[in-house]
Structure formats: structure tokens, C-alpha cells
Amino acid sequence: MRRAPWFARRRDTALPPSAEPAEPAGAAAGSRGAPAVPAPDGGDVRQECRGLARAAVRLDAPAVAERLEAAVERHGLAVAWQEVMVPTLHAVGRKWASSGDRYVEVEHLLSWQVSTALRRAPHAVVAGGREGGPGPVLLACVPGEQHSLPLEALNAGLLQLGVPTRMFGAAVPVEALTAAVRRLGPVAVVLWSQTRSTASLPLARHLADTRWGVTGARRAPTVVLGGSGWAGRPAPGLPRPKGLGDALTLLAGAHGQGAA
């Protein structure tokens, strides 16, 4: 199956060229003004994207919710995110960018429904942390970064694997991030930056150097960089997964779980 990016480009953001989803030649817009959608492998998934886009353009929230739930049930969360949600979000964002700020309400409705579907996705029962065991995975957008949907997808995927998480969402202040790391002792911290202006390597290195625990057994988190804001910035020792699947494998492994 073709790899999709962790998240799609919006008007005010950009992915590196290698991560930009390809749009096949001849991909046409759906009927009733629905934006064109990149076609993943398999006609059925392409039709799902088009149907989802049409429902969003109609502002038919119940139909959008039903289609998203069906996609998660049919494909699993990771594939539904990469092959249905991301291409449709990308298409709606592209339509917005090319139509003079029309379709803003469509993108807002679709984003909200995607967020809701991710939170409602079935997940494993996550047991409380055992004494001396690995801490949770902490997920946060860097200060000034408002795009949290990709982290919501990662959070949902980790919960499905039974990996405990602490999701802090958009634009978390530096002081709050530092305090949370010291209080929770996370096995990993995922920092999301979708725009270059918000990516802060000093912040990432500061968190990677944060220690906790008793003398002789002090630990530090693995700091994982997510989003296109980090592109082109060498960061030795700070992993940058290429997609949702890579991130799930890396973080599940760090926590001692096996990613399916």
C-alpha cells in the first residue's frame, strides 16, 4: 500500500516534497462541487475519499461522521487516517487555497469530525504504569503551533496498541512541557511542529536533557520530532518518523509494546 504522509498540507503549511501525496493524472473533482481527492491504491478507497468530501461540502455532519466511523472499522485506524482522512483533508485544504477563502466552513467541519472519530476509535485497555516501568508517551505541539490533528491520530493509534499516553494538544508553553516531563517521567516526548517558524531545536534538546529518578538510575525521555517544521534541520539523536506507521512502531518499541 502506498505510504501517505502523517498529515496533509494546508494553505499555511508545507510538507517536504518527498512527503507530498501524489495526485494521479486525470483525478477529477467529484460531483456537486466536491474537491478532487488524490486516489490511493484501490478504487474502493478512492470512492470513500470522494464520498467523504461530498458529505463535507454539503456540511452533512452525520454523513461525515458515519463515513469516518465506517472507514476506521473497515481499514483500521492507521490506514483510515493515511488513506482516507489525510487525502480528503488535503483536498479540502487545496480547494480552500484556490477558491479565495471559500470552503473554510467545510474544512472546519471536516477537521472537527475527524478529531471526533479519532477520539471515538476503539482502543485497548491501558493499565496503570507499574513501579519502575516505562512512563507514558507525552504528545504536545510546540509553542505557537495550533495544528494538533496529526498528534490526535498518533494518540489514538498508540492507545489501540495499549501504550499509555498523555495528550496535551496545541501550543503547549515551554514551562508546562518541562514541568510535565519532570512530573510524568515519560518514556518519550513527541513534539509536533507543522511550520518551520514554530520548530525549536533548543526546546527539543532541553527536553531530551531533562532527567528524573534517583541518583544512579536517572532517566531521560526519547524526544521524537513530528511534522514538516523540522525538515532540513539536522537533529542527531532526535528521531523524526516519516509517517504514522513509523511513529507507532518507534514509540511502541520504546514502551516495550509490539506494533501490529
mmCIF file of all heavy atoms in Angstrom, residues 21-51:
data_model
loop_
_atom_site.group_PDB
_atom_site.id
_atom_site.type_symbol
_atom_site.label_atom_id
_atom_site.label_comp_id
_atom_site.label_asym_id
_atom_site.label_seq_id
_atom_site.Cartn_x
_atom_site.Cartn_y
_atom_site.Cartn_z
ATOM 1 N N PRO A 21 1.719 13.989 -0.984
ATOM 2 C CA PRO A 21 0.994 12.924 -1.641
ATOM 3 C C PRO A 21 0.820 13.191 -3.126
ATOM 4 O O PRO A 21 0.514 14.299 -3.531
ATOM 5 C CB PRO A 21 -0.360 12.908 -0.930
ATOM 6 C CG PRO A 21 -0.480 14.217 -0.261
ATOM 7 C CD PRO A 21 0.906 14.741 -0.059
ATOM 8 N N ALA A 22 1.071 12.181 -3.920
ATOM 9 C CA ALA A 22 0.948 12.340 -5.362
ATOM 10 C C ALA A 22 -0.516 12.311 -5.776
ATOM 11 O O ALA A 22 -1.304 11.557 -5.252
ATOM 12 C CB ALA A 22 1.693 11.207 -6.066
ATOM 13 N N GLU A 23 -0.863 13.146 -6.734
ATOM 14 C CA GLU A 23 -2.211 13.136 -7.295
ATOM 15 C C GLU A 23 -2.118 12.543 -8.690
ATOM 16 O O GLU A 23 -1.437 13.059 -9.560
ATOM 17 C CB GLU A 23 -2.787 14.548 -7.350
ATOM 18 C CG GLU A 23 -4.195 14.558 -7.930
ATOM 19 C CD GLU A 23 -4.879 15.893 -7.711
ATOM 20 O OE1 GLU A 23 -4.332 16.710 -6.963
ATOM 21 O OE2 GLU A 23 -5.941 16.111 -8.295
ATOM 22 N N PRO A 24 -2.797 11.424 -8.922
ATOM 23 C CA PRO A 24 -2.681 10.772 -10.208
ATOM 24 C C PRO A 24 -3.237 11.616 -11.344
ATOM 25 O O PRO A 24 -4.152 12.390 -11.142
ATOM 26 C CB PRO A 24 -3.504 9.489 -10.028
ATOM 27 C CG PRO A 24 -4.180 9.581 -8.727
ATOM 28 C CD PRO A 24 -3.688 10.783 -8.002
ATOM 29 N N ALA A 25 -2.657 11.438 -12.514
ATOM 30 C CA ALA A 25 -3.156 12.151 -13.677
ATOM 31 C C ALA A 25 -4.596 11.766 -13.925
ATOM 32 O O ALA A 25 -4.979 10.611 -13.824
ATOM 33 C CB ALA A 25 -2.301 11.809 -14.906
ATOM 34 N N GLY A 26 -5.412 12.788 -14.230
ATOM 35 C CA GLY A 26 -6.798 12.520 -14.549
ATOM 36 C C GLY A 26 -7.698 12.456 -13.344
ATOM 37 O O GLY A 26 -8.880 12.172 -13.487
ATOM 38 N N ALA A 27 -7.197 12.723 -12.126
ATOM 39 C CA ALA A 27 -8.074 12.725 -10.965
ATOM 40 C C ALA A 27 -9.031 13.894 -11.105
ATOM 41 O O ALA A 27 -8.634 15.039 -11.207
ATOM 42 C CB ALA A 27 -7.249 12.871 -9.683
ATOM 43 N N ALA A 28 -10.300 13.602 -11.108
ATOM 44 C CA ALA A 28 -11.300 14.631 -11.369
ATOM 45 C C ALA A 28 -12.058 14.969 -10.112
ATOM 46 O O ALA A 28 -12.163 14.168 -9.198
ATOM 47 C CB ALA A 28 -12.285 14.140 -12.444
ATOM 48 N N ALA A 29 -12.616 16.183 -10.079
ATOM 49 C CA ALA A 29 -13.434 16.568 -8.942
ATOM 50 C C ALA A 29 -14.711 15.751 -8.944
ATOM 51 O O ALA A 29 -15.247 15.372 -9.980
ATOM 52 C CB ALA A 29 -13.775 18.061 -9.033
ATOM 53 N N GLY A 30 -15.207 15.494 -7.731
ATOM 54 C CA GLY A 30 -16.478 14.806 -7.596
ATOM 55 C C GLY A 30 -17.614 15.727 -7.988
ATOM 56 O O GLY A 30 -17.453 16.912 -8.231
ATOM 57 N N SER A 31 -18.819 15.189 -8.034
ATOM 58 C CA SER A 31 -19.972 15.973 -8.406
ATOM 59 C C SER A 31 -20.344 16.929 -7.292
ATOM 60 O O SER A 31 -19.860 16.853 -6.174
ATOM 61 C CB SER A 31 -21.145 15.029 -8.703
ATOM 62 O OG SER A 31 -21.474 14.282 -7.539
ATOM 63 N N ARG A 32 -21.233 17.877 -7.596
ATOM 64 C CA ARG A 32 -21.766 18.849 -6.643
ATOM 65 C C ARG A 32 -20.670 19.707 -6.033
ATOM 66 O O ARG A 32 -20.743 20.128 -4.885
ATOM 67 C CB ARG A 32 -22.565 18.161 -5.530
ATOM 68 C CG ARG A 32 -23.740 17.331 -6.058
ATOM 69 C CD ARG A 32 -24.546 16.778 -4.908
ATOM 70 N NE ARG A 32 -25.577 15.878 -5.403
ATOM 71 C CZ ARG A 32 -26.419 15.213 -4.618
ATOM 72 N NH1 ARG A 32 -26.327 15.328 -3.309
ATOM 73 N NH2 ARG A 32 -27.339 14.420 -5.129
ATOM 74 N N GLY A 33 -19.602 19.949 -6.762
ATOM 75 C CA GLY A 33 -18.581 20.860 -6.290
ATOM 76 C C GLY A 33 -17.606 20.272 -5.304
ATOM 77 O O GLY A 33 -16.823 20.997 -4.707
ATOM 78 N N ALA A 34 -17.629 18.963 -5.081
ATOM 79 C CA ALA A 34 -16.678 18.356 -4.148
ATOM 80 C C ALA A 34 -15.275 18.474 -4.700
ATOM 81 O O ALA A 34 -15.063 18.303 -5.901
ATOM 82 C CB ALA A 34 -17.027 16.879 -3.927
ATOM 83 N N PRO A 35 -14.271 18.772 -3.842
ATOM 84 C CA PRO A 35 -12.906 18.915 -4.333
ATOM 85 C C PRO A 35 -12.333 17.600 -4.796
ATOM 86 O O PRO A 35 -12.732 16.538 -4.342
ATOM 87 C CB PRO A 35 -12.146 19.435 -3.110
ATOM 88 C CG PRO A 35 -12.992 19.095 -1.939
ATOM 89 C CD PRO A 35 -14.394 19.035 -2.418
ATOM 90 N N ALA A 36 -11.391 17.677 -5.722
ATOM 91 C CA ALA A 36 -10.709 16.472 -6.190
ATOM 92 C C ALA A 36 -9.888 15.874 -5.067
ATOM 93 O O ALA A 36 -9.351 16.576 -4.229
ATOM 94 C CB ALA A 36 -9.810 16.814 -7.370
ATOM 95 N N VAL A 37 -9.785 14.554 -5.048
ATOM 96 C CA VAL A 37 -9.082 13.857 -3.976
ATOM 97 C C VAL A 37 -8.008 12.978 -4.578
ATOM 98 O O VAL A 37 -8.260 12.261 -5.541
ATOM 99 C CB VAL A 37 -10.059 12.963 -3.170
ATOM 100 C CG1 VAL A 37 -9.400 12.469 -1.907
ATOM 101 C CG2 VAL A 37 -11.336 13.700 -2.858
ATOM 102 N N PRO A 38 -6.772 13.009 -4.047
ATOM 103 C CA PRO A 38 -5.756 12.081 -4.522
ATOM 104 C C PRO A 38 -6.234 10.653 -4.366
ATOM 105 O O PRO A 38 -6.831 10.314 -3.344
ATOM 106 C CB PRO A 38 -4.560 12.369 -3.607
ATOM 107 C CG PRO A 38 -4.807 13.731 -3.061
ATOM 108 C CD PRO A 38 -6.286 13.864 -2.984
ATOM 109 N N ALA A 39 -5.999 9.821 -5.347
ATOM 110 C CA ALA A 39 -6.515 8.462 -5.320
ATOM 111 C C ALA A 39 -5.487 7.506 -4.760
ATOM 112 O O ALA A 39 -4.479 7.237 -5.394
ATOM 113 C CB ALA A 39 -6.908 8.022 -6.734
ATOM 114 N N PRO A 40 -5.704 6.966 -3.555
ATOM 115 C CA PRO A 40 -4.808 5.935 -3.047
ATOM 116 C C PRO A 40 -4.975 4.665 -3.864
ATOM 117 O O PRO A 40 -5.874 4.550 -4.693
ATOM 118 C CB PRO A 40 -5.272 5.731 -1.605
ATOM 119 C CG PRO A 40 -6.194 6.888 -1.316
ATOM 120 C CD PRO A 40 -6.770 7.279 -2.633
ATOM 121 N N ASP A 41 -4.114 3.689 -3.603
ATOM 122 C CA ASP A 41 -4.245 2.412 -4.277
ATOM 123 C C ASP A 41 -5.594 1.806 -3.942
ATOM 124 O O ASP A 41 -5.989 1.734 -2.792
ATOM 125 C CB ASP A 41 -3.133 1.457 -3.825
ATOM 126 C CG ASP A 41 -1.761 1.947 -4.269
ATOM 127 O OD1 ASP A 41 -1.721 2.790 -5.170
ATOM 128 O OD2 ASP A 41 -0.764 1.476 -3.701
ATOM 129 N N GLY A 42 -6.308 1.382 -4.948
ATOM 130 C CA GLY A 42 -7.585 0.725 -4.720
ATOM 131 C C GLY A 42 -8.732 1.681 -4.972
ATOM 132 O O GLY A 42 -8.842 2.729 -4.354
ATOM 133 N N GLY A 43 -9.610 1.288 -5.912
ATOM 134 C CA GLY A 43 -10.735 2.136 -6.259
ATOM 135 C C GLY A 43 -11.695 2.357 -5.120
ATOM 136 O O GLY A 43 -12.302 3.416 -5.004
ATOM 137 N N ASP A 44 -11.873 1.349 -4.246
ATOM 138 C CA ASP A 44 -12.818 1.490 -3.145
ATOM 139 C C ASP A 44 -12.419 2.628 -2.225
ATOM 140 O O ASP A 44 -13.265 3.414 -1.789
ATOM 141 C CB ASP A 44 -12.907 0.180 -2.349
ATOM 142 C CG ASP A 44 -13.586 -0.930 -3.145
ATOM 143 O OD1 ASP A 44 -14.241 -0.599 -4.153
ATOM 144 O OD2 ASP A 44 -13.456 -2.094 -2.753
ATOM 145 N N VAL A 45 -11.135 2.728 -1.915
ATOM 146 C CA VAL A 45 -10.684 3.785 -1.023
ATOM 147 C C VAL A 45 -10.847 5.145 -1.699
ATOM 148 O O VAL A 45 -11.230 6.125 -1.061
ATOM 149 C CB VAL A 45 -9.222 3.556 -0.600
ATOM 150 C CG1 VAL A 45 -8.756 4.659 0.332
ATOM 151 C CG2 VAL A 45 -9.071 2.204 0.080
ATOM 152 N N ARG A 46 -10.591 5.205 -2.985
ATOM 153 C CA ARG A 46 -10.782 6.458 -3.720
ATOM 154 C C ARG A 46 -12.231 6.902 -3.644
ATOM 155 O O ARG A 46 -12.514 8.088 -3.426
ATOM 156 C CB ARG A 46 -10.362 6.261 -5.176
ATOM 157 C CG ARG A 46 -10.571 7.499 -6.035
ATOM 158 C CD ARG A 46 -10.023 7.278 -7.430
ATOM 159 N NE ARG A 46 -10.246 8.435 -8.270
ATOM 160 C CZ ARG A 46 -9.756 8.574 -9.486
ATOM 161 N NH1 ARG A 46 -9.017 7.616 -10.003
ATOM 162 N NH2 ARG A 46 -9.999 9.657 -10.191
ATOM 163 N N GLN A 47 -13.153 5.978 -3.793
ATOM 164 C CA GLN A 47 -14.566 6.329 -3.687
ATOM 165 C C GLN A 47 -14.931 6.778 -2.282
ATOM 166 O O GLN A 47 -15.772 7.661 -2.091
ATOM 167 C CB GLN A 47 -15.429 5.137 -4.113
ATOM 168 C CG GLN A 47 -15.363 4.808 -5.597
ATOM 169 C CD GLN A 47 -15.718 6.014 -6.462
ATOM 170 O OE1 GLN A 47 -16.702 6.722 -6.196
ATOM 171 N NE2 GLN A 47 -14.918 6.264 -7.496
ATOM 172 N N GLU A 48 -14.308 6.167 -1.275
ATOM 173 C CA GLU A 48 -14.558 6.599 0.102
ATOM 174 C C GLU A 48 -14.124 8.047 0.285
ATOM 175 O O GLU A 48 -14.824 8.832 0.934
ATOM 176 C CB GLU A 48 -13.802 5.705 1.078
ATOM 177 C CG GLU A 48 -14.383 4.311 1.217
ATOM 178 C CD GLU A 48 -13.589 3.476 2.209
ATOM 179 O OE1 GLU A 48 -13.500 3.889 3.378
ATOM 180 O OE2 GLU A 48 -13.058 2.425 1.809
ATOM 181 N N CYS A 49 -12.970 8.412 -0.262
ATOM 182 C CA CYS A 49 -12.496 9.793 -0.159
ATOM 183 C C CYS A 49 -13.470 10.745 -0.836
ATOM 184 O O CYS A 49 -13.804 11.803 -0.288
ATOM 185 C CB CYS A 49 -11.117 9.921 -0.792
ATOM 186 S SG CYS A 49 -9.795 9.043 0.064
ATOM 187 N N ARG A 50 -13.913 10.376 -2.013
ATOM 188 C CA ARG A 50 -14.835 11.258 -2.730
ATOM 189 C C ARG A 50 -16.157 11.390 -1.988
ATOM 190 O O ARG A 50 -16.733 12.479 -1.888
ATOM 191 C CB ARG A 50 -15.071 10.717 -4.137
ATOM 192 C CG ARG A 50 -13.892 10.909 -5.069
ATOM 193 C CD ARG A 50 -14.230 10.495 -6.482
ATOM 194 N NE ARG A 50 -13.204 10.931 -7.416
ATOM 195 C CZ ARG A 50 -13.277 10.759 -8.720
ATOM 196 N NH1 ARG A 50 -14.326 10.169 -9.255
ATOM 197 N NH2 ARG A 50 -12.305 11.167 -9.507
ATOM 198 N N GLY A 51 -16.664 10.276 -1.467
ATOM 199 C CA GLY A 51 -17.914 10.331 -0.720
ATOM 200 C C GLY A 51 -17.783 11.185 0.530
ATOM 201 O O GLY A 51 -18.697 11.955 0.878
#
